[in-house]
Coordinates of all heavy atoms in Angstrom, one line a residue:
M926 N 94.0 119.9 154.2 CA 93.3 119.5 153.1 C 94.2 119.6 151.8 O 94.1 118.9 150.9 CB 92.1 120.3 152.9 CG 91.2 119.9 151.7 SD 89.6 120.0 152.4 CE 88.6 119.8 151.2
A927 N 94.9 120.7 151.8 CA 95.9 121.0 150.7 C 96.9 119.8 150.6 O 97.3 119.4 149.6 CB 96.6 122.3 151.0
K928 N 97.4 119.3 151.9 CA 98.3 118.2 151.9 C 97.6 116.9 151.3 O 98.3 116.2 150.7 CB 98.8 118.0 153.3 CG 99.7 119.0 153.8 CD 100.3 118.7 155.1 CE 101.2 119.8 155.7 NZ 101.8 119.4 157.0
E929 N 96.3 116.7 151.6 CA 95.6 115.6 151.2 C 95.5 115.7 149.6 O 95.7 114.7 149.0 CB 94.3 115.5 151.8 CG 94.3 115.1 153.3 CD 93.0 115.1 153.9 OE1 91.9 115.2 153.1 OE2 92.8 115.0 155.1
N930 N 95.1 116.8 149.1 CA 95.1 117.0 147.7 C 96.4 116.8 147.1 O 96.5 116.2 146.0 CB 94.5 118.4 147.4 CG 93.0 118.5 147.6 OD1 92.3 117.5 147.7 ND2 92.6 119.7 147.8
A931 N 97.4 117.3 147.7 CA 98.8 117.2 147.1 C 99.2 115.7 147.0 O 99.7 115.2 146.1 CB 99.8 118.0 147.8
A932 N 98.8 115.0 148.2 CA 99.1 113.6 148.3 C 98.4 112.8 147.2 O 98.9 111.9 146.6 CB 98.9 113.1 149.7
K933 N 97.1 113.1 147.0 CA 96.3 112.5 146.0 C 96.9 112.8 144.6 O 96.9 111.8 143.8 CB 94.9 113.0 146.1 CG 94.0 112.3 147.2 CD 92.5 112.9 147.2 CE 91.8 112.3 148.3 NZ 90.4 112.8 148.4
E934 N 97.2 114.0 144.4 CA 97.8 114.3 143.1 C 99.1 113.5 142.9 O 99.3 113.1 141.7 CB 98.0 115.8 143.0 CG 96.8 116.6 142.8 CD 97.1 118.1 142.7 OE1 98.3 118.5 142.4 OE2 96.1 118.9 142.7
D935 N 99.9 113.5 143.9 CA 101.1 112.7 143.8 C 100.9 111.2 143.5 O 101.5 110.6 142.7 CB 102.0 112.8 145.0 CG 102.7 114.2 145.2 OD1 102.8 114.9 144.1 OD2 103.2 114.5 146.3
K936 N 99.9 110.7 144.2 CA 99.5 109.2 144.0 C 99.0 109.1 142.7 O 99.3 108.1 142.0 CB 98.4 108.9 145.1 CG 98.1 107.4 145.1 CD 97.1 107.1 146.2 CE 96.8 105.6 146.1 NZ 95.9 105.2 147.1
T937 N 98.2 110.0 142.2 CA 97.6 109.9 140.8 C 98.7 110.0 139.8 O 98.7 109.3 138.8 CB 96.5 111.0 140.6 OG1 95.5 110.9 141.5 CG2 95.9 110.9 139.2
T938 N 99.6 111.0 140.0 CA 100.7 111.2 139.1 C 101.6 110.0 139.0 O 102.0 109.5 138.0 CB 101.6 112.4 139.5 OG1 100.7 113.6 139.6 CG2 102.7 112.7 138.6
M939 N 101.9 109.4 140.1 CA 102.7 108.1 140.2 C 102.0 107.0 139.5 O 102.6 106.2 138.8 CB 103.0 107.7 141.6 CG 104.0 108.8 142.4 SD 105.6 108.9 141.6 CE 106.3 107.3 141.9
G940 N 100.7 106.9 139.7 CA 99.9 105.8 139.1 C 99.9 106.0 137.6 O 100.1 105.1 136.8
L941 N 99.8 107.3 137.1 CA 99.8 107.6 135.6 C 101.2 107.3 135.1 O 101.4 106.7 134.0 CB 99.4 109.0 135.4 CG 97.9 109.3 135.6 CD1 97.6 110.8 135.5 CD2 97.1 108.5 134.6
K942 N 102.3 107.6 135.9 CA 103.6 107.4 135.4 C 103.8 105.8 135.3 O 104.5 105.4 134.3 CB 104.6 108.0 136.3 CG 104.8 109.5 136.2 CD 105.8 110.0 137.2 CE 106.0 111.5 137.1 NZ 107.0 112.1 138.0
K943 N 103.3 105.1 136.3 CA 103.5 103.7 136.2 C 102.9 103.1 135.1 O 103.3 102.2 134.3 CB 103.0 103.1 137.5 CG 103.1 101.6 137.7 CD 102.7 101.1 139.0 CE 102.8 99.5 139.0 NZ 102.2 99.0 140.3
Q944 N 101.6 103.5 134.8 CA 100.8 103.1 133.6 C 101.5 103.4 132.3 O 101.5 102.5 131.4 CB 99.4 103.6 133.6 CG 98.5 103.1 134.6 CD 97.0 103.7 134.6 OE1 96.9 104.7 133.8 NE2 96.2 103.3 135.5
L945 N 102.0 104.6 132.2 CA 102.8 105.0 131.0 C 104.0 104.2 130.8 O 104.3 103.8 129.7 CB 103.1 106.5 131.2 CG 103.7 107.2 130.0 CD1 102.8 107.1 128.7 CD2 104.1 108.6 130.3
L946 N 104.8 103.9 132.0 CA 105.9 103.1 131.8 C 105.6 101.6 131.4 O 106.2 101.1 130.5 CB 106.6 103.1 133.1 CG 108.0 102.3 133.2 CD1 108.9 102.9 132.1 CD2 108.6 102.4 134.5
E947 N 104.5 101.1 131.9 CA 104.0 99.8 131.5 C 103.7 99.7 130.0 O 104.0 98.8 129.3 CB 102.8 99.4 132.3 CG 103.2 99.0 133.8 CD 101.9 98.8 134.6 OE1 100.8 98.9 134.2 OE2 102.2 98.4 135.9
K948 N 102.9 100.8 129.5 CA 102.6 100.8 128.2 C 103.8 101.0 127.3 O 103.9 100.4 126.2 CB 101.6 102.1 127.9 CG 100.2 101.8 128.5 CD 99.5 100.7 127.7 CE 98.1 100.6 128.2 NZ 97.4 99.5 127.6
F949 N 104.7 101.8 127.8 CA 105.9 101.9 127.0 C 106.7 100.6 126.8 O 107.2 100.3 125.8 CB 106.8 103.0 127.7 CG 108.2 103.2 127.0 CD1 108.3 103.9 125.8 CD2 109.3 102.7 127.5 CE1 109.4 104.1 125.1 CE2 110.5 102.8 126.9 CZ 110.6 103.5 125.7
N950 N 106.8 100.0 128.0 CA 107.5 98.6 128.0 C 106.8 97.6 127.0 O 107.3 96.9 126.4 CB 107.6 98.1 129.4 CG 108.7 98.8 130.2 OD1 109.6 99.4 129.6 ND2 108.5 98.8 131.5
E951 N 105.4 97.7 127.1 CA 104.7 96.8 126.2 C 104.9 97.1 124.8 O 105.1 96.2 124.0 CB 103.2 97.0 126.6 CG 102.2 96.0 125.9 CD 100.8 96.3 126.3 OE1 100.5 96.6 127.4 OE2 99.9 96.3 125.3
M952 N 104.9 98.4 124.5 CA 105.2 98.8 123.1 C 106.6 98.4 122.7 O 106.8 97.9 121.5 CB 104.9 100.3 122.9 CG 103.5 100.7 122.9 SD 103.2 102.5 122.9 CE 104.1 102.9 121.4
A953 N 107.5 98.5 123.5 CA 108.9 98.2 123.2 C 109.0 96.7 122.9 O 109.7 96.2 122.0 CB 109.8 98.5 124.4
E954 N 108.3 95.8 123.8 CA 108.3 94.4 123.5 C 107.7 94.1 122.2 O 108.1 93.2 121.4 CB 107.5 93.7 124.6 CG 108.3 93.7 126.0 CD 107.6 93.0 127.1 OE1 106.6 92.2 126.8 OE2 107.9 93.2 128.2
K955 N 106.5 94.8 121.9 CA 105.8 94.5 120.6 C 106.7 94.9 119.4 O 106.8 94.3 118.4 CB 104.5 95.2 120.6 CG 103.5 94.5 121.5 CD 102.1 95.3 121.4 CE 101.1 94.5 122.2 NZ 99.8 95.2 122.2
N956 N 107.4 96.1 119.5 CA 108.3 96.5 118.5 C 109.4 95.5 118.3 O 109.8 95.2 117.2 CB 108.9 97.9 119.0 CG 109.6 98.5 117.8 OD1 109.2 98.5 116.7 ND2 110.7 99.2 118.2
K957 N 110.0 95.0 119.4 CA 111.1 93.9 119.3 C 110.5 92.7 118.6 O 111.2 92.2 117.7 CB 111.6 93.6 120.7 CG 112.8 92.6 120.6 CD 113.2 92.2 122.1 CE 114.4 91.3 121.9 NZ 114.2 90.0 121.3
A958 N 109.4 92.3 118.9 CA 108.7 91.1 118.2 C 108.6 91.4 116.8 O 108.7 90.5 115.9 CB 107.4 90.8 118.9
L959 N 108.0 92.7 116.5 CA 107.8 93.0 115.1 C 109.2 93.0 114.3 O 109.3 92.5 113.2 CB 107.2 94.3 115.0 CG 107.0 95.0 113.6 CD1 106.0 94.0 112.8 CD2 106.4 96.3 113.7
L960 N 110.2 93.5 114.9 CA 111.5 93.5 114.3 C 112.0 92.1 114.1 O 112.6 91.8 113.0 CB 112.6 94.3 115.1 CG 112.3 95.9 115.1 CD1 113.2 96.5 116.1 CD2 112.5 96.5 113.8
D961 N 111.8 91.2 115.1 CA 112.1 89.9 114.9 C 111.5 89.2 113.7 O 112.0 88.5 112.9 CB 111.9 89.1 116.2 CG 112.8 89.4 117.3 OD1 113.9 90.1 117.0 OD2 112.6 89.1 118.6
L962 N 110.2 89.5 113.7 CA 109.4 88.9 112.5 C 109.8 89.5 111.2 O 109.9 88.7 110.2 CB 107.9 89.2 112.8 CG 107.2 88.4 113.9 CD1 105.8 88.9 114.0 CD2 107.2 86.9 113.6
Q963 N 110.1 90.7 111.1 CA 110.7 91.3 109.9 C 112.0 90.6 109.5 O 112.2 90.4 108.3 CB 110.8 92.8 110.1 CG 109.5 93.6 110.1 CD 109.7 95.1 110.3 OE1 110.6 95.5 110.9 NE2 108.7 95.8 109.8
G964 N 112.8 90.4 110.5 CA 114.1 89.6 110.2 C 113.8 88.3 109.7 O 114.4 87.8 108.6
K965 N 112.8 87.6 110.2 CA 112.5 86.2 109.7 C 111.9 86.3 108.3 O 112.2 85.5 107.5 CB 111.5 85.5 110.6 CG 112.1 85.1 111.9 CD 111.1 84.5 112.9 CE 111.7 84.1 114.2 NZ 110.7 83.5 115.1
V966 N 111.1 87.3 108.1 CA 110.5 87.5 106.7 C 111.7 87.7 105.7 O 111.7 87.2 104.6 CB 109.4 88.7 106.7 CG1 109.2 89.0 105.3 CG2 108.2 88.2 107.5
S967 N 112.6 88.7 106.1 CA 113.7 88.9 105.2 C 114.5 87.7 104.9 O 114.9 87.4 103.7 CB 114.6 89.9 105.9 OG 115.7 90.3 105.0
K968 N 114.7 86.9 105.9 CA 115.4 85.6 105.7 C 114.7 84.7 104.8 O 115.3 84.0 103.9 CB 115.9 84.9 107.0 CG 116.9 85.6 107.8 CD 117.2 84.9 109.1 CE 118.2 85.7 109.9 NZ 118.4 85.1 111.3
G969 N 113.4 84.6 105.0 CA 112.5 83.8 104.1 C 112.5 84.3 102.7 O 112.6 83.5 101.8
E970 N 112.5 85.6 102.5 CA 112.6 86.1 101.1 C 113.9 85.8 100.5 O 114.0 85.5 99.3 CB 112.4 87.6 101.2 CG 111.0 88.0 101.5 CD 110.8 89.6 101.6 OE1 111.8 90.2 101.8 OE2 109.6 90.0 101.6
E971 N 115.0 85.9 101.3 CA 116.4 85.4 100.7 C 116.3 84.0 100.3 O 116.9 83.6 99.3 CB 117.4 85.7 101.8 CG 117.7 87.1 102.0 CD 118.7 87.4 103.2 OE1 119.3 86.4 103.7 OE2 118.8 88.6 103.6
K972 N 115.8 83.1 101.2 CA 115.7 81.7 100.9 C 114.9 81.5 99.6 O 115.2 80.6 98.8 CB 115.1 80.9 102.1 CG 116.1 80.6 103.1 CD 117.0 79.5 102.6 CE 117.8 78.9 103.7 NZ 118.8 78.0 103.2
L973 N 113.8 82.2 99.5 CA 112.9 82.0 98.4 C 113.6 82.4 97.1 O 113.5 81.7 96.1 CB 111.6 82.9 98.5 CG 110.6 82.9 97.4 CD1 110.1 81.4 97.2 CD2 109.4 83.8 97.7
L974 N 114.4 83.5 97.1 CA 115.2 83.9 96.0 C 116.2 82.8 95.7 O 116.4 82.5 94.4 CB 115.9 85.2 96.3 CG 116.7 85.8 95.2 CD1 115.9 86.1 93.9 CD2 117.4 87.1 95.6
E975 N 116.9 82.3 96.6 CA 117.8 81.2 96.4 C 117.1 80.0 95.7 O 117.7 79.4 94.8 CB 118.5 80.8 97.7 CG 119.5 81.8 98.2 CD 119.9 81.3 99.6 OE1 119.8 80.1 100.0 OE2 120.6 82.2 100.3
L976 N 116.0 79.7 96.2 CA 115.2 78.5 95.7 C 114.8 78.8 94.2 O 114.9 77.9 93.3 CB 114.0 78.2 96.5 CG 114.3 77.6 97.8 CD1 113.0 77.4 98.7 CD2 114.9 76.2 97.7
Q977 N 114.3 80.0 94.0 CA 114.0 80.4 92.6 C 115.2 80.3 91.7 O 115.1 79.8 90.5 CB 113.4 81.8 92.6 CG 112.0 81.9 93.1 CD 111.5 83.4 93.3 OE1 112.3 84.3 93.3 NE2 110.3 83.5 93.3
Q978 N 116.4 80.6 92.2 CA 117.6 80.6 91.3 C 117.9 79.0 91.1 O 118.3 78.7 90.0 CB 118.8 81.2 92.0 CG 118.6 82.8 92.0 CD 119.7 83.5 92.9 OE1 120.3 82.8 93.7 NE2 119.8 84.8 92.7
E979 N 117.7 78.2 92.0 CA 118.0 76.8 91.9 C 117.0 76.2 91.0 O 117.4 75.3 90.2 CB 117.9 76.1 93.3 CG 119.1 76.5 94.3 CD 120.5 76.2 93.7 OE1 120.7 75.1 93.1 OE2 121.4 77.1 93.9
L980 N 115.7 76.6 91.1 CA 114.8 76.1 90.1 C 115.1 76.5 88.7 O 115.0 75.7 87.8 CB 113.4 76.6 90.4 CG 112.6 76.0 91.6 CD1 111.4 76.7 91.9 CD2 112.4 74.5 91.3
S981 N 115.7 77.7 88.5 CA 116.1 78.1 87.2 C 117.2 77.2 86.7 O 117.3 76.9 85.5 CB 116.5 79.6 87.3 OG 117.1 80.0 86.0
K982 N 118.2 76.8 87.6 CA 119.2 76.0 87.2 C 118.7 74.6 86.8 O 119.1 74.0 85.8 CB 120.2 75.9 88.3 CG 121.1 77.0 88.6 CD 121.9 76.8 89.8 CE 122.7 78.1 90.2 NZ 123.6 77.9 91.4
I983 N 117.7 74.1 87.6 CA 117.1 72.8 87.2 C 116.5 72.8 85.8 O 116.7 71.9 85.1 CB 116.0 72.4 88.3 CG1 116.7 72.1 89.6 CG2 115.2 71.3 87.8 CD1 115.8 71.9 90.8
S984 N 115.8 73.9 85.5 CA 115.3 74.0 84.1 C 116.3 74.1 83.1 O 116.2 73.3 82.0 CB 114.4 75.3 84.1 OG 113.8 75.4 82.8
D985 N 117.3 74.7 83.3 CA 118.5 74.7 82.3 C 119.1 73.4 82.2 O 119.4 72.9 81.1 CB 119.6 75.8 82.8 CG 119.1 77.2 82.7 OD1 118.1 77.5 82.0 OD2 119.8 78.1 83.3
L986 N 119.2 72.7 83.4 CA 119.8 71.3 83.3 C 118.9 70.4 82.5 O 119.4 69.5 81.8 CB 120.1 70.8 84.7 CG 121.3 71.5 85.4 CD1 121.4 71.1 86.9 CD2 122.6 71.3 84.7
E987 N 117.6 70.5 82.7 CA 116.7 69.6 82.0 C 116.8 69.8 80.5 O 116.7 68.8 79.8 CB 115.2 69.9 82.5 CG 115.0 69.3 83.9 CD 113.6 69.7 84.5 OE1 113.0 70.7 83.9 OE2 113.1 69.0 85.3
T988 N 116.9 71.1 80.2 CA 117.1 71.3 78.7 C 118.4 70.8 78.2 O 118.4 70.2 77.1 CB 117.1 72.9 78.5 OG1 115.8 73.5 79.0 CG2 117.3 73.3 77.0
K989 N 119.4 70.9 79.0 CA 120.7 70.3 78.5 C 120.6 68.7 78.4 O 121.2 68.1 77.5 CB 121.8 70.7 79.5 CG 122.2 72.1 79.3 CD 123.4 72.5 80.3 CE 123.7 74.0 80.2 NZ 124.7 74.3 81.1
I990 N 119.9 68.1 79.4 CA 119.8 66.7 79.4 C 119.0 66.2 78.2 O 119.4 65.3 77.5 CB 119.0 66.2 80.6 CG1 120.0 66.3 81.9 CG2 118.5 64.9 80.6 CD1 119.3 66.1 83.2
K991 N 117.9 66.9 77.8 CA 117.2 66.6 76.7 C 118.0 66.7 75.4 O 117.9 65.9 74.5 CB 115.9 67.5 76.5 CG 114.8 67.1 77.5 CD 113.6 68.0 77.4 CE 112.6 67.7 78.4 NZ 111.4 68.5 78.3
K992 N 118.8 67.7 75.3 CA 119.7 67.9 74.2 C 120.7 66.7 74.1 O 121.0 66.2 73.0 CB 120.4 69.3 74.2 CG 121.3 69.5 73.1 CD 122.0 70.9 73.2 CE 123.0 71.2 72.1 NZ 123.6 72.5 72.2
L993 N 121.3 66.5 75.2 CA 122.2 65.3 75.3 C 121.6 64.0 75.0 O 122.2 63.1 74.3 CB 122.9 65.2 76.6 CG 123.9 66.3 76.9 CD1 124.4 66.3 78.4 CD2 125.1 66.3 76.0
E994 N 120.3 63.8 75.4 CA 119.6 62.5 75.0 C 119.4 62.5 73.6 O 119.5 61.4 73.0 CB 118.2 62.5 75.8 CG 118.3 62.2 77.3 CD 117.0 62.3 78.0 OE1 116.1 63.0 77.5 OE2 116.9 61.8 79.1
G995 N 119.2 63.6 72.9 CA 119.0 63.6 71.5 C 120.3 63.2 70.8 O 120.3 62.5 69.9
T996 N 121.3 63.8 71.4 CA 122.8 63.4 70.8 C 123.1 62.0 70.9 O 123.5 61.3 69.9 CB 123.7 64.3 71.5 OG1 123.5 65.8 71.2 CG2 125.2 64.0 70.9
V997 N 122.7 61.4 72.1 CA 123.0 60.0 72.3 C 122.1 59.2 71.4 O 122.6 58.2 70.8 CB 122.8 59.7 73.8 CG1 122.8 58.2 74.1 CG2 123.9 60.3 74.7
T998 N 120.9 59.5 71.3 CA 120.0 58.7 70.4 C 120.5 58.8 69.0 O 120.5 57.8 68.2 CB 118.6 59.3 70.5 OG1 118.1 59.3 71.8 CG2 117.6 58.6 69.6
Y999 N 120.9 60.0 68.5 CA 121.5 60.1 67.2 C 122.7 59.2 67.0 O 122.8 58.5 66.1 CB 121.8 61.6 66.9 CG 122.5 61.8 65.6 CD1 121.8 61.7 64.4 CD2 123.9 62.0 65.6 CE1 122.6 61.9 63.1 CE2 124.6 62.2 64.4 CZ 123.9 62.2 63.2 OH 124.7 62.3 62.1
R1000 N 123.6 59.2 67.9 CA 124.8 58.5 67.8 C 124.5 57.0 68.0 O 125.2 56.2 67.3 CB 125.8 58.8 69.0 CG 126.4 60.3 68.7 CD 127.4 60.7 69.7 NE 128.0 62.0 69.3 CZ 128.8 62.6 70.1 NH1 129.3 62.1 71.2 NH2 129.2 63.8 69.7
D1001 N 123.6 56.6 68.8 CA 123.1 55.1 68.8 C 122.6 54.8 67.5 O 122.9 53.6 67.0 CB 122.1 55.0 69.9 CG 122.6 55.0 71.3 OD1 123.9 54.9 71.5 OD2 121.8 55.1 72.3
D1002 N 121.8 55.6 66.9 CA 121.2 55.3 65.5 C 122.4 55.1 64.5 O 122.4 54.2 63.7 CB 120.3 56.3 65.1 CG 119.0 56.3 65.9 OD1 118.7 55.3 66.7 OD2 118.2 57.3 65.9
M1003 N 123.3 56.0 64.6 CA 124.5 55.9 63.7 C 125.3 54.7 63.9 O 125.7 54.1 62.9 CB 125.4 57.2 63.9 CG 124.7 58.5 63.4 SD 124.3 58.5 61.6 CE 126.0 58.5 61.0
L1004 N 125.4 54.3 65.2 CA 126.2 53.1 65.5 C 125.5 51.9 65.0 O 126.1 51.0 64.4 CB 126.4 53.0 67.0 CG 127.3 51.9 67.4 CD1 128.7 52.0 66.9 CD2 127.3 51.9 69.0
V1005 N 124.1 51.8 65.1 CA 123.4 50.7 64.6 C 123.5 50.6 63.0 O 123.8 49.5 62.5 CB 121.9 50.9 65.0 CG1 121.0 49.8 64.3 CG2 121.8 50.6 66.5
A1006 N 123.4 51.7 62.4 CA 123.5 51.8 61.0 C 124.9 51.4 60.5 O 125.1 50.5 59.6 CB 123.3 53.2 60.4
R1007 N 125.9 51.8 61.2 CA 127.3 51.3 60.9 C 127.5 49.9 61.1 O 128.2 49.2 60.3 CB 128.3 52.1 61.7 CG 128.4 53.6 61.1 CD 129.5 54.4 61.9 NE 129.5 55.8 61.4 CZ 130.2 56.8 62.0 NH1 130.9 56.5 63.1 NH2 130.1 58.0 61.5
N1008 N 126.9 49.4 62.2 CA 127.1 47.9 62.5 C 126.4 47.2 61.5 O 126.9 46.1 61.0 CB 126.5 47.6 63.9 CG 127.4 47.9 65.0 OD1 128.6 48.2 64.9 ND2 126.8 48.1 66.2
K1009 N 125.2 47.6 60.9 CA 124.5 46.9 59.9 C 125.4 46.9 58.6 O 125.5 45.9 57.9 CB 123.2 47.5 59.6 CG 122.1 47.2 60.7 CD 120.8 47.8 60.3 CE 119.7 47.5 61.3 NZ 118.4 48.1 61.0
A1010 N 126.0 48.0 58.3 CA 126.8 48.2 57.2 C 128.0 47.3 57.3 O 128.4 46.6 56.3 CB 127.2 49.7 56.9
L1011 N 128.6 47.2 58.4 CA 129.8 46.4 58.7 C 129.4 44.9 58.5 O 130.1 44.1 57.9 CB 130.3 46.7 60.0 CG 131.6 45.9 60.4 CD1 132.7 46.3 59.4 CD2 132.1 46.3 61.8
L1012 N 128.2 44.5 59.1 CA 127.7 43.1 58.9 C 127.6 42.8 57.5 O 127.9 41.7 57.0 CB 126.5 42.9 59.7 CG 126.6 42.6 61.2 CD1 125.3 42.6 61.9 CD2 127.4 41.3 61.4
T1013 N 127.0 43.7 56.8 CA 126.7 43.5 55.3 C 128.1 43.3 54.6 O 128.2 42.5 53.8 CB 125.9 44.6 54.7 OG1 124.6 44.7 55.5 CG2 125.6 44.4 53.3
Y1014 N 129.0 44.2 54.9 CA 130.3 44.1 54.3 C 131.0 42.8 54.6 O 131.6 42.2 53.7 CB 131.2 45.3 54.8 CG 132.5 45.4 54.1 CD1 132.7 45.7 52.8 CD2 133.6 45.1 55.0 CE1 134.0 45.7 52.3 CE2 135.0 45.1 54.4 CZ 135.1 45.5 53.1 OH 136.3 45.5 52.6
Q1015 N 130.9 42.3 55.9 CA 131.5 41.2 56.2 C 130.9 39.9 55.5 O 131.6 39.0 55.1 CB 131.5 40.9 57.8 CG 132.4 41.7 58.5 CD 132.3 41.6 60.0 OE1 131.3 41.1 60.5 NE2 133.3 42.0 60.8
R1016 N 129.7 39.9 55.4 CA 128.9 38.9 54.8 C 129.2 38.8 53.3 O 129.5 37.7 52.7 CB 127.4 39.0 54.9 CG 126.9 38.6 56.2 CD 125.4 38.7 56.3 NE 125.0 38.6 57.8 CZ 123.9 39.1 58.2 NH1 123.0 39.8 57.4 NH2 123.5 38.8 59.4
N1017 N 129.4 40.0 52.7 CA 129.9 40.1 51.3 C 131.2 39.5 51.1 O 131.6 38.9 50.1 CB 129.7 41.5 50.8 CG 128.3 41.9 50.5 OD1 127.4 41.1 50.5 ND2 128.1 43.2 50.6
L1018 N 132.1 39.8 52.1 CA 133.5 39.3 52.0 C 133.4 37.7 52.1 O 134.3 37.1 51.5 CB 134.4 39.9 53.1 CG 134.9 41.3 52.9 CD1 135.7 41.8 54.1 CD2 135.7 41.4 51.6
E1019 N 132.6 37.3 53.0 CA 132.6 35.8 53.2 C 132.1 35.1 52.0 O 132.5 33.9 51.7 CB 131.7 35.5 54.5 CG 132.4 35.8 55.7 CD 131.5 35.7 56.9 OE1 130.4 35.2 56.8 OE2 131.9 36.0 58.0
H1020 N 131.2 35.7 51.2 CA 130.7 35.0 50.0 C 131.6 35.2 48.9 O 132.1 34.8 48.1 CB 129.3 35.6 49.7 CG 128.3 35.2 50.6 ND1 128.0 33.9 51.0 CD2 127.5 36.0 51.3 CE1 127.0 33.9 51.9 NE2 126.7 35.1 52.1

């Protein structure tokens, strides 16, 4: 009977060790998956930061474009005024 009890205890111990090892492996797999997800999140955050920086550049470029459009409009207006003055001067010379 002592041998039977010892055998049962060994069988129970081996079963518990097996269950413990399975749980450990399961936890290790879940931990690896979690670390993989954290890596993906980190890469996503880096991409988001890069995109935010690019958006900031776009805003700056839009401001510069508006300023340049204003300069071009001003120069166009000046050119039209000078052309009118030149035409008037030419007409006066012809008369």
Side-chain angles (χ1 to χ4, degrees):
M926 186 139 171
K928 287 184 181 182
E929 289 176 10
N930 284 340
K933 284 183 182 179
E934 285 180 15
D935 285 344
K936 186 177 179 181
T937 303
T938 301
M939 291 300 290
L941 289 173
K942 283 182 181 180
K943 183 179 176 183
Q944 287 179 359
L945 184 59
L946 184 59
E947 288 173 358
K948 289 291 182 183
F949 176 77
N950 288 334
E951 184 181 323
M952 287 175 54
E954 288 177 22
K955 287 182 179 180
N956 189 40
K957 183 182 181 300
L959 179 61
L960 289 174
D961 290 344
L962 288 174
Q963 285 176 335
K965 288 179 182 179
V966 167
S967 179
K968 287 180 183 177
E970 288 173 345
E971 288 174 13
K972 276 290 192 190
L973 181 60
L974 181 60
E975 288 174 14
L976 289 173
Q977 287 172 338
Q978 290 171 344
E979 292 301 316
L980 283 174
S981 175
K982 290 177 185 178
I983 290 172
S984 177
D985 292 343
L986 289 174
E987 286 174 341
T988 302
K989 287 179 182 179
I990 287 171
K991 286 181 182 178
K992 184 178 177 182
L993 289 172
E994 286 173 344
T996 301
V997 168
T998 301
Y999 171 76
R1000 289 184 179 176
D1001 285 347
D1002 292 343
M1003 291 297 294
L1004 186 58
V1005 167
R1007 286 181 184 172
N1008 283 340
K1009 285 181 182 178
L1011 184 59
L1012 276 173
T1013 303
Y1014 179 73
Q1015 284 176 343
R1016 285 182 188 155
N1017 289 339
L1018 283 178
E1019 289 174 0
H1020 290 304

